Amino acid sequence: MSEGQASARTRAPVGRPLLSLTLAALMDEVHAHSGAVYLLSPDQPVLEMAVMAGLPRAFAAPWERIGLSAPIPVSAAVRERRLVWVAGEEEMALRYPRIAMVLPYPFALAALPVATPAKTYGAVFVTWPGSHPPELSDWEREHLTAVCDRLAVRLERAAEHSLPLAPEPDLLAAPVVGGVAGSLGTAEAARMVARLPYGLCSLDLHGRVAFANAAASELLGVASDGLLDRHLWAAVPWLNDPVYEDRYRAALFSQHVTSFVALRPPDTWLSFRLYPSTTGLSMRISRARAVTEMNRAAPPPGAARDRLVTITQVLGLAGALTEAVGVQDVVQLVADEIVPAVGGQGLVVLGSRAGRLRVLGHRGYADPQVVERFDGLPLSEPTPGGQVLRTGVPAFFESREELERLYPALQTHPSEFSAWAYLPLIASGRPVGTCVLSYGAPHRFATEERAVLTSLAGLIAQALERAMLYDVKHRLAHGLQEALLPHTLPALDGIEAAARYLPATRGMEIGGDFYDLVPTQGVAAAVIGDVQGHNVTAAGLMGQVRTAVHAYTAVGQAPDEVMRSTNRLLLDLGAELFASCLYLRLDPSRGRAVMSRAGHPPPLLRRPDGRVRVLDLAGGPLLGIDGAAAYPSTEVALPPGSLLVLYTDGLVESPGVDFEDALAELCRRLGELGDLPLDDLADALVRHGPHAADRLDDTAVLLLKAAR
């Protein structure tokens, strides 16, 4: 074999459908009824669905492409490199409300990373009906983990030999019945089905009709050849309602019998009962009884067309947008989930400030300057984005010629797109922005499509209004936080100091953590504390506590007296908030430190020889609880070269992690990294704590090192 032939053979795709076969075998062995394999994008933190089995991909449309930070089980499995188990509907709603909103059905789910010790390749999820026991068995856990580990090894080998994975089709079972009634079995079986007084239909996993007896055809009012191989809601116009499609989805996902009633115009109520299996649905249709009191209007007759956006996608978008925090979150979600769904290729989100157009975000433009040149233009300028934002009236341009005829100035800097939908984002009765969807080719916007796009813009507008308000509060919160914390630490004789503060990554990102270093005559005072809460009230009270400690230090109070005075102040203020605090006086000339503690995590002392000790000091309760509380002082030796680490609980506390274990890990890291320059050490401690990228609480660290 020549060298060229060997190289070509090396680069040939993996021959067998590796992912599909692995997933199918796994589902069969653990008796799961659906599942999917995701692969990690090589150039960005995104999981992309490679193959799905057991259910149509449309069921998982909102999650075909998801970020690693998304609150989704497969993303959590990859981030935390562990099996994620969701036992049922209630637990899904509690832990992953975004999924529960789109799939509010009883089912259980397991998600696992596909990873070797060195690299993560993707993730797998599988689902069971809601009848699955509330816990995975040990065998199921071991088997799921083993299969994913083996898949990771095979993907690693493929990567080592530069073998790309060829695209693989999704795995869906064949229809229950494949056409006419005679395929049910014997001729007698077909005659028996034909004689039944009620209608029988068979639907495949996509909802297409595979069989319908004569009674079903008569009850539905559609000839048999008009039913076969078509979606039931497309073949029967008055069933083209998301409510009925939802019952089909519920039956397949939960594998439970479901039912509904529907009005066949003008006045006939029919009862539908769906019996699911892993290969499709059997449906029984009969005349409904005792529903005369129901007065639901029937959908107007007429041929149904494919919906631009499915109910699954709308619910998925609504659920995703409820979790969008800032403006850029909204832009990213619309780009990932709406633009592809409506066939677009580009997105621009515009807003206004002080009478000028502002580009809030954009995606899909090869030359960003095409979009960014509009930023700062007066709203009075003749641009379609500004016109729509001012008037609240949508504009649709089906070709470049149509756009440039109405706005000739745009000819000087044309973009690569050829059609545009300019949608006003109206919230609380006023335009808050414009959403521009761009298409790569000329595009005809039919009346129904314009209505759907305008409706989707309403969802986006509500999310954008919340996001803009959040961003304003976020900026105000950071401004307040920066004003209350010291901008720099004073220089002290014999003491080197460094401090860091990181806000929580959730909520308002403002809290009550504080620190300070106060020079006094001959000695120095240091304080660190945490006021309960994550809001402006907590931050304001933190500023008062810090000021009080400063004042009590200046008049020469001892550490225990400073704590008692601050405790009384909190009670007098009547804020009904508590605070933890650690206060100490440093005397580097004597190599001593005197400390007093109020419910605060214990400080750490790293000795010059590298050993680390937890200073479990005696102390009193949190400040603001008991006016008569005492806060005893403790004197600690501070020889030259020793390092004191003061911190708030955000550095060591996180869900599911024992405090003692986290403290031991902090001691270990301090022992290893303690010889770093103090600023580098401070960065290392706060950036590599537990869940540093997803902080539920603020983190403050104050490092004090005695000079040698």
Side-chain angles (χ1 to χ4, degrees):
M1 183 186 299
S2 69
E3 183 178 344
Q5 290 173 322
S7 176
R9 179 175 178 180
T10 299
R11 292 190 298 272
V14 175
R16 302 174 64 207
L18 171 62
L19 305 180
S20 302
L21 291 177
T22 301
L23 181 60
L26 175 62
M27 289 170 53
D28 183 60
E29 289 160 354
V30 299
H31 306 296
H33 80 285
S34 74
V37 178
Y38 287 82
L39 294 179
L40 189 60
S41 173
D43 54 356
Q44 53 187 324
V46 171
L47 289 167
E48 298 175 333
M49 185 181 289
V51 62
M52 186 167 183
L55 289 173
R57 185 174 286 225
F59 278 40
W63 309 293
E64 283 203 51
R65 189 172 185 272
I66 55 178
L68 284 184
S69 60
I72 304 295
V74 287
S75 296
V78 172
R79 288 196 308 269
E80 301 168 18
R81 294 179 69 91
R82 66 177 181 87
L83 186 153
V84 174
W85 167 247
V86 184
E89 189 175 7
E90 290 185 7
E91 187 176 348
M92 185 68 77
L94 180 64
R95 296 171 56 192
Y96 303 103
R98 182 166 162 182
I99 292 181
M101 177 178 287
V102 181
L103 302 172
Y105 315 124
F107 68 95
L109 178 146
L112 301 92
V114 176
T116 64
K119 186 174 180 180
T120 299
Y121 292 91
V124 168
F125 81 76
V126 290
T127 69
W128 293 264
S131 56
H132 188 284
E135 295 293 338
L136 278 175
S137 68
D138 291 341
W139 181 87
E140 286 173 321
R141 284 181 175 273
E142 292 169 3
H143 191 73
L144 288 167
T145 303
V147 169
C148 290
D149 288 346
R150 287 198 298 271
L151 177 59
V153 171
R154 297 187 68 180
L155 292 173
E156 182 179 55
R157 291 173 181 168
E160 288 173 352
H161 293 87
S162 301
L163 297 176
L165 292 175
E168 300 183 23
D170 290 343
L171 300 175
L172 285 176
V176 178
V177 180
V180 298
S183 65
L184 278 173
T186 66
E188 179 56 35
R191 285 194 293 270
M192 178 195 72
V193 171
R195 289 194 297 267
L196 292 174
Y198 45 80
L200 285 179
C201 280
S202 171
L203 276 63
D204 67 13
L205 292 174
H206 287 288
R208 292 187 295 255
V209 179
F211 167 80
N213 68 355
S217 177
E218 181 181 352
L219 288 168
L220 295 173
V222 179
S224 295
D225 57 0
L227 291 172
L228 295 179
D229 295 325
R230 298 186 65 193
H231 289 103
L232 184 64
W233 41 88
V236 184
W238 45 272
L239 286 178
N240 190 13
D241 187 313
V243 171
Y244 306 140
E245 183 190 349
D246 178 72
R247 295 296 81 206
Y248 143 78
R249 296 164 70 240
L252 280 185
F253 229 98
S254 67
Q255 292 292 293
H256 290 172
V257 176
T258 62
S259 59
F260 63 89
V261 292
L263 176 65
R264 190 190 75 186
D267 56 8
T268 302
W269 286 94
L270 298 180
S271 173
F272 295 79
R273 194 161 180 82
L274 300 100
Y275 300 87
S277 74
T278 56
T279 56
L281 290 171
S282 297
M283 178 185 292
R284 171 176 165 163
I285 310 170
S286 59
R287 294 184 183 275
R289 300 175 183 175
V291 293
T292 54
E293 71 277 7
M294 299 176 65
N295 194 28
R296 182 187 176 103
R305 55 160 287 176
D306 289 341
R307 280 164 284 182
L308 180 68
V309 181
T310 68
I311 183 66
T312 299
Q313 290 167 316
V314 171
L315 288 172
L317 175 69
L321 288 176
T322 60
E323 297 176 357
V325 177
V327 170
Q328 292 309 309
D329 295 334
V330 175
V331 173
Q332 191 64 51
L333 281 167
V334 174
D336 289 346
E337 303 194 24
I338 278 292
V339 175
V342 301
Q345 289 79 43
L347 169 73
V348 182
V349 178
L350 302 170
S352 66
R353 186 168 63 249
R356 294 184 176 273
L357 202 63
R358 296 299 178 191
V359 177
L360 303 179
H362 59 86
R363 300 291 187 275
Y365 282 75
D367 182 4
Q369 291 185 353
V370 171
V371 175
E372 291 166 1
R373 65 191 176 91
F374 292 103
D375 192 66
L377 284 180
L379 283 177
S380 56
E381 285 284 322
T383 64
Q387 173 74 12
V388 169
L389 199 154
R390 287 196 313 273
T391 63
V393 178
F396 299 90
F397 303 97
E398 299 184 346
S399 67
R400 181 186 301 277
E401 292 74 22
E402 184 179 349
L403 176 70
E404 293 177 349
R405 176 167 48 83
L406 295 173
Y407 296 94
L410 298 182
Q411 296 179 16
T412 56
H413 296 281
S415 75
E416 65 265 38
F417 295 106
S418 301
W420 296 265
Y422 284 79
L423 308 172
L425 302 178
I426 299 175
S428 304
R430 64 182 182 86
V432 296
T434 301
C435 176
V436 186
L437 301 175
S438 309
Y439 297 78
H443 184 87
R444 180 178 175 273
F445 296 97
T447 301
E448 180 184 346
E449 182 174 0
R450 294 184 183 212
V452 170
L453 292 176
T454 304
S455 298
L456 289 174
L459 287 175
I460 299 168
Q462 294 175 33
L464 183 63
E465 184 182 45
R466 291 193 305 269
M468 293 169 74
L469 179 60
Y470 174 86
D471 283 350
V472 169
K473 290 182 177 178
H474 177 80
R475 288 193 294 270
L476 289 174
H478 268 277
L480 176 60
Q481 191 85 46
E482 290 176 2
L484 293 175
L485 289 173
H487 296 289
T488 59
L489 295 177
L492 301 175
D493 292 336
I495 293 290
E496 183 184 357
R500 294 293 183 271
Y501 171 81
L502 290 180
T505 56
R506 301 188 187 181
M508 275 286 290
E509 297 192 11
I510 183 171
D513 288 20
F514 66 95
Y515 61 86
D516 206 353
L517 191 58
V518 185
T520 59
Q521 190 171 7
V523 294
V527 63
I528 192 165
D530 183 1
V531 176
Q532 172 195 24
H534 294 86
N535 50 40
V536 174
T537 302
L541 188 60
M542 173 265 281
Q544 291 175 298
V545 171
R546 178 173 166 247
T547 302
V549 170
H550 231 100
Y552 298 140
T553 300
V555 298
Q557 288 190 355
D560 58 329
E561 294 172 334
V562 170
M563 297 297 265
R564 286 197 298 271
S565 299
T566 307
N567 181 44
R568 287 193 296 270
L569 173 67
L570 257 65
L571 290 167
D572 291 342
L573 289 173
E576 297 184 352
L577 293 179
F578 311 133
S580 70
C581 190
L582 175 65
Y583 179 88
L584 57 116
R585 286 289 179 87
L586 298 164
D587 189 348
S589 63
R590 295 179 55 242
R592 313 297 291 176
V594 180
M595 309 181 186
S596 185
R597 185 162 70 111
H600 199 80
L604 306 181
L605 175 64
R606 186 180 189 271
R607 299 178 184 276
D609 58 9
R611 289 183 299 168
V612 178
R613 174 188 167 198
V614 178
L615 300 178
D616 195 8
L617 312 173
L622 293 169
L623 302 177
I625 294 179
D626 180 6
Y631 299 92
S633 297
T634 303
E635 187 173 286
V636 176
L638 194 66
S642 56
L643 171 67
L644 275 173
V645 178
L646 318 182
Y647 56 93
T648 57
D649 52 13
L651 186 67
V652 290
E653 289 187 355
S654 58
V657 179
D658 182 77
F659 176 81
E660 296 297 332
D661 292 341
L663 192 59
E665 173 62 17
L666 178 60
C667 291
R668 185 192 64 77
R669 293 206 321 273
L670 182 60
E672 292 178 352
L673 306 174
D675 292 325
L676 290 173
L678 219 54
D679 282 319
D680 294 342
L681 176 59
D683 289 333
L685 291 180
V686 297
R687 296 294 181 188
H688 300 285
H691 303 284
D694 187 20
R695 298 180 299 278
L696 301 179
D697 199 0
D698 303 62
T699 298
V701 173
L702 179 60
L703 306 181
L704 304 168
K705 188 171 186 177
R708 292 184 182 274

